[in-house]
Amino acid sequence: MPFGEIVIGAPGAGKSTYAHGKYQLFSALERPIAIVNLDPANKSLPYPCAISISSLITLEDVMQEFGLGPNGAMLYCIEYLEANFDWLVEELGRLHPDTWVVFDLPGQVELSTNHESLKHIIVKLGKHDYRLAAVNPCDAHYITDAAKYILVLLLSLRTMLQLELPHVNVLSKIDLLSQFGDLDFNLDCYTEVQDLSYLENLLLQGTKFSALNMRICELVQDFGLVGFETLAVEDRESMLRLMRVVDRATGCVFVPSASEESHVTGQEKVPSTRRVNFDSLFTTAAGPIGGIRSDLEAKYGWGAHDVEFFNTPAAAPGDGPGSAALASAANVDKCDVPKVEFGIFDGRTENSFAPSGDGFVHGSALNGNIITHFICNRVKPDSTAKTVPINDCTDAIAATPGKTGQAFADASNIAFAENV
């Protein structure tokens, strides 16, 4: 039976965009994947949809037949799916057993916080040997306001307690965070959620809401469950890192592939999802995981630095949005002037940005800031070769606000050349 993830979150958090990015990534890695759309109101899907709840029930039909509003009709649709769970099982049964299944949920947060139908569906899927994790994208801009950040913390905690799944909270759209100005604290203060007392000075004092917010912070800290990963969907390395986190959360990294034979006597007839992959257990403890998730250089032509990044455990976020927050674990020792190019890359139909230069391997991105930050974080100071130090990239980043397209690339390239 397959592994997979339940993608939940508030409207506009980037659920469907993440699902589309996951589909593209798995397709590049030649890992089988299928996306199940469980949002009956989502008519324009950005990804190829293997199964859609619209084949069973639509939001418009419910609203017209029962005179319900959008929210009430959405709850009815999920309840109807629960009552017709056999339909979902039949549709899922047509997929290959090794297919990674992504369930794209609607944006109504009550479905994952206090409504029981989604939880019942998850429990039933578990009884059919589905190994699932919950991925909860939250718009990163909420951390720029203390009160909104506390709201996200409480909502994430409530969702974790309700669904009772391995849970991965994600600050999505992290590449756009720099548009909202500097953070009051380092990014890791928000992602690790270790000490929330520092938020007190950022809240309006002398109101009952200030005291309430601090009590909520104490509640979140008492549970000690909430933490966040970061994600920029257009950044391949960011997607790879989150994929690795979700793989570990579901436990699929500890399960032998279908082509591998079980070395445990008496488990020859046990389904692969129930067999223990002792090789992966020991290699995970001792070093990088083997198999298709590490054989990237030979199979896909990725550079050595990409392989090193992929096999390096996730590090703590760095000192600010758009700098060490998306930093790579690998360093580049070559003396080469990096450049930002603007044009058609990676089979896109629209212009995008991409880096050029020996050692600067990265996919294209519509947001040029992703590429400039990647270049700045990819290089290191070297006493024997003149490269671009991380701290010297300030000019390149400062030269680009307000510029788009080729003008953005030219401004970045001039700044990079002056610092070499």
Side-chain angles (χ1 to χ4, degrees):
M1 288 296 178
F3 292 86
E5 57 193 286
I6 305 285
V7 184
I8 56 178
K15 298 183 296 298
S16 296
T17 302
Y18 165 72
H20 187 204
K22 189 95 174 188
Y23 180 87
Q24 292 177 317
L25 178 63
F26 271 45
S27 298
L29 295 176
E30 298 181 7
R31 288 182 61 179
I33 183 173
I35 302 181
V36 179
N37 171 45
L38 295 184
D39 186 352
N42 196 348
K43 296 181 180 180
S44 56
L45 299 173
Y47 47 74
C49 183
I51 304 171
S52 178
I53 192 177
S54 297
S55 301
L56 178 68
I57 190 171
T58 63
L59 190 73
E60 292 81 1
D61 291 342
V62 174
M63 293 175 65
Q64 292 177 4
E65 182 173 351
F66 299 102
L68 297 173
N71 289 333
M74 184 67 70
L75 296 179
Y76 181 91
C77 289
I78 300 301
E79 292 172 356
Y80 189 81
L81 176 63
E82 179 191 356
N84 294 271
F85 181 76
D86 291 342
W87 171 85
L88 181 60
V89 172
E90 181 180 353
E91 294 293 319
L92 292 172
R94 296 189 176 99
L95 303 176
H96 190 277
D98 291 334
T99 301
W100 181 275
V101 183
V102 178
F103 295 90
D104 187 13
L105 271 294
Q108 274 67 14
V109 294
E110 57 266 33
L111 292 175
S112 56
T113 56
N114 49 34
H115 197 266
E116 294 296 325
S117 288
L118 178 59
K119 183 177 181 178
H120 293 163
I121 292 172
I122 292 173
V123 171
K124 291 180 180 179
L125 288 172
K127 292 180 179 179
H128 283 77
D129 281 341
Y130 279 81
R131 303 292 183 260
L132 302 174
V135 177
N136 179 27
C138 306
D139 200 317
H141 90 270
Y142 286 129
I143 69 175
T144 61
D145 183 282
K148 292 180 180 178
Y149 175 56
I150 294 172
L151 170 64
V152 169
L153 290 174
L154 181 61
L155 192 61
S156 299
L157 176 62
R158 184 67 187 92
T159 302
M160 297 174 75
L161 298 177
Q162 170 73 6
L163 298 183
E164 297 179 330
L165 284 174
H167 203 95
V168 181
N169 296 306
V170 181
L171 292 179
S172 61
K173 308 177 187 178
I174 197 69
D175 52 312
L176 304 179
L177 194 57
S178 58
Q179 298 180 3
F180 299 93
D182 295 332
L183 295 176
D184 294 293
F185 306 99
N186 293 342
L187 183 61
D188 54 357
C189 293
Y190 297 93
T191 58
E192 295 177 6
V193 196
Q194 293 182 348
D195 184 6
L196 299 177
S197 61
Y198 55 79
L199 296 176
E200 185 171 8
N201 293 331
L202 302 179
L203 298 169
L204 293 176
Q205 301 299 315
T207 67
K208 60 180 179 181
F209 299 110
S210 176
L212 175 61
N213 281 327
M214 294 313 299
R215 299 295 82 75
I216 294 175
C217 289
E218 293 176 3
L219 175 67
V220 173
Q221 286 189 286
D222 286 343
F223 275 95
L225 297 175
V226 183
F228 296 93
E229 300 293 329
T230 58
L231 174 66
V233 173
E234 293 183 343
D235 189 300
R236 183 185 62 192
E237 295 180 352
S238 180
M239 285 293 294
L240 280 171
R241 189 178 296 281
L242 183 58
M243 180 193 74
R244 187 182 179 96
V245 171
V246 178
D247 280 350
R248 289 179 180 272
T250 60
C252 80
V253 295
F254 304 118
V255 174
S257 64
S259 61
E260 295 175 348
E261 295 183 0
S262 175
H263 302 293
V264 183
T265 303
Q267 289 202 359
E268 291 80 2
K269 297 183 179 181
V270 176
S272 61
T273 51
R274 294 188 177 184
R275 295 204 307 260
V276 178
N277 185 352
F278 287 97
D279 292 336
S280 288
L281 282 173
F282 286 116
T283 56
T284 300
I289 299 174
I292 62 172
R293 294 169 181 80
S294 63
D295 187 18
L296 302 178
E297 182 174 13
K299 190 169 185 179
Y300 306 109
W302 292 3
H305 298 292
D306 294 291
V307 177
E308 180 183 351
F309 167 85
F310 184 77
N311 286 327
T312 302
D319 294 332
S323 58
L326 300 176
S328 167
N331 288 311
V332 177
D333 296 315
K334 298 183 178 296
C335 179
D336 190 49
V337 180
K339 292 183 179 180
V340 178
E341 295 187 353
F342 182 69
I344 301 295
F345 306 103
D346 299 336
R348 294 179 182 268
T349 57
E350 70 275 43
N351 288 323
S352 60
F353 298 91
S356 67
D358 194 6
F360 297 90
V361 181
H362 191 287
S364 62
L366 297 177
N367 188 340
N369 287 318
I370 295 178
I371 304 303
T372 56
H373 293 321
F374 163 77
I375 292 175
C376 289
N377 292 310
R378 196 71 170 177
V379 296
K380 68 176 184 179
D382 192 309
S383 58
T384 58
K386 296 178 66 178
T387 59
V388 186
I390 293 176
N391 293 336
D392 290 343
C393 285
T394 305
D395 292 342
I397 297 175
T400 57
K403 293 182 173 61
T404 59
Q406 189 60 49
F408 181 100
D410 292 340
S412 301
N413 295 334
I414 292 174
F416 282 138
E418 291 176 348
N419 281 305
V420 174

